[in-house]
Amino acid sequence: MRISVIGCGYLGAVHAASMAHLGHDVVGIDVDEAKIALLSAGRPPFFEPGLPEVLESAAPSGRLRFTTDFSAVSEADVHFVAVGTPQVADGDAADMRFVDAAFASLLEHVKPGDLIVGKSTVPVGTAARLAELVAQAQPEVTLAWNPEFLREGFAVSDTVSPDRLVYGVPEGESGERAAGLLDEVYASAVAAGTPVIVTDYATSELVKVSANAFLATKISFINAMAEIAEVTGADVTKLADAIGHDARIGRRFLNAGVGFGGGCLPKDIRAFSARARELGKGDAVRFLDEVDQINLRRRTRVVELVREEAGGLAGVRVGVLGLAFKPHSDDIRDSPALDIAMRLADAGAIVTATDPQAVENARRRAPQLRFAETAEDAVRDADVVVLITEWPEFTSLDPAAVGELVAHRTVIDGRNALDPAAWRGAGWTYRGLGR
Ligand code: UDX
């Protein structure tokens, strides 16, 4: 099929490359010239495992190209809108500027029979509003909403082999045709038996935000238990193991630690609350404010643990392991690790931070921090070592060897990812979260 993808960020670039990998003819469009130049050269503008390979595999086929020229969408029949919906600067709501601009440009170039497919995470009600715009501008063009559930670090496999497909389509013939076209786009996943849920716009929009709200709630639930564990002497990791054996609960997303960050969960739950308030149903999701608060309190807890262990923060040397919001990513958007590193530095600590992929992004955002290329250099002469992003490079560190480098053997395990017995055995004071 002939596909255009508007927006080549974490979502759009992966979607465009994966669609070409699946055999479609794809043009990716973005206003950012630097990003387009990199992608055109087959180089990903960010770290994402598997993306270089799909970009490379698509190159010889000539099926994938990138451009800043919007008129290129006229070469395609199915148009995916994959631009960002960040949090507005002065509130909780989603900033819809990029989506609105993408639709305005798109409507100048689409032709009768085309299908526009929204992939961006949007407040419920957006697709219905945009469908009216589309109907006014191009009555023969249909809008579908097809949320994505990709996880950074697994974005390519989540796109090529999703665990479900959700199509929000209008009622009647145009909706049936839209669902048929999407089945063709995702032919390999459909043939592999991937569940397909065909529904209305509002449900498709809510599927995405409610999935993220559920995941965020699950993480904050276990982090709330961590708070209780901290005053009772219980061990939250054992608790998670025990309740996770109940198939109705499940062990995944019950890892207690510094909590969730990234470009999705934090801003999506805030945007969901803001939208619910607009709809007069703020009470229904008020718990999400609590989910957010529990999450943010964990970051404060780490800063307090460092203060407690070092007897203050001014002049204390802290080695911070991790800057990305999670391992296998260079994304520092709303990263607990960067937030904690900055708070420690603001309080007077001398922070040296490292990350296998996110140092450059972090340096641009927080030039006041010191950065190191390796874990060894980050922890050298440290009074306290803080692990915040559980990269395998960090969790596999040998406590005896690291002990030779530091000034004091004190480690704060912000992800409960280290073996307390091994670290204590090597003479370390070990502090986990909720244990
Ligand atoms: C998430 C959703 O998983 C994905 O479906 C959606 O499309 C976008 O948002 P992503 O932001 O890539 O994906 O990260 P995810 O793997 O979900 O992790 C989110 C955050 O939660 C990370 O900061 C992670 O460290 C944290 N987390 C995850 C925990 O603190 N504990 C857990 O048990 C799991």
Side-chain angles (χ1 to χ4, degrees), residues 121 148-154 158 164 208 211-212 215-216 218-219 222-223 251-266 268 295 324-327 329 331 334-336 388-390 415:
T121 302
E148 58 73 29
F149 306 100
L150 61 82
R151 300 158 299 164
E152 286 176 31
F154 304 91
D158 283 352
R164 78 284 212 192
K208 175 61 195 266
N212 277 354
L215 293 173
K218 205 170 174 191
I219 298 168
I222 201 66
N223 282 334
R251 180 63 178 81
R252 294 177 71 188
F253 271 66
L254 279 184
N255 294 325
V258 292
F260 58 84
C264 288
L265 298 193
D268 285 353
N295 193 53
F325 84 102
K326 68 173 191 181
S329 171
D331 195 348
D334 214 329
S335 166
I388 320 188
T389 313
E390 69 280 33
R415 292 286 181 185

Side-chain angles (χ1 to χ4, degrees), residues 168-240:
V169 295
E171 275 184 8
E173 217 177 290
S174 65
E176 280 169 27
R177 181 171 167 273
L181 285 171
L182 284 169
D183 274 348
E184 281 183 54
V185 169
Y186 297 118
S188 60
V190 172
T194 306
V196 180
I197 291 111
V198 182
T199 183
D200 53 85
Y201 289 146
T203 306
S204 68
E205 292 164 323
L206 270 176
V207 167
K208 175 61 195 266
V209 286
S210 59
N212 277 354
F214 192 88
L215 293 173
T217 304
K218 205 170 174 191
I219 298 168
S220 277
F221 175 83
I222 201 66
N223 282 334
M225 296 307 108
E227 290 191 32
I228 305 294
E230 276 154 15
V231 293
T232 54
D235 181 334
V236 77
T237 60
K238 293 270 165 55
L239 179 116

Side-chain angles (χ1 to χ4, degrees), residues 47-66:
F47 174 78
E48 178 62 42
L51 182 56
E53 290 78 6
V54 276
L55 282 172
E56 206 173 299
S57 76
S61 69
R63 280 198 306 266
L64 177 63
R65 73 181 188 96
F66 293 94

Side-chain angles (χ1 to χ4, degrees), residues 1-5 15-16 18-27 62-65 73-80 111 113-117 167 177-188 190:
M1 303 194 80
R2 301 192 311 165
I3 289 174
S4 79
V5 180
H15 193 67
S18 301
M19 291 299 110
H21 177 72
L22 292 175
H24 300 300
D25 281 311
V26 183
V27 57
R63 280 198 306 266
L64 177 63
R65 73 181 188 96
V73 301
S74 55
E75 296 163 21
D77 313 304
V78 179
H79 313 281
F80 285 95
K111 54 192 181 304
D114 281 6
L115 176 66
I116 301 178
V117 188
Y167 309 158
R177 181 171 167 273
L181 285 171
L182 284 169
D183 274 348
E184 281 183 54
V185 169
Y186 297 118
S188 60
V190 172

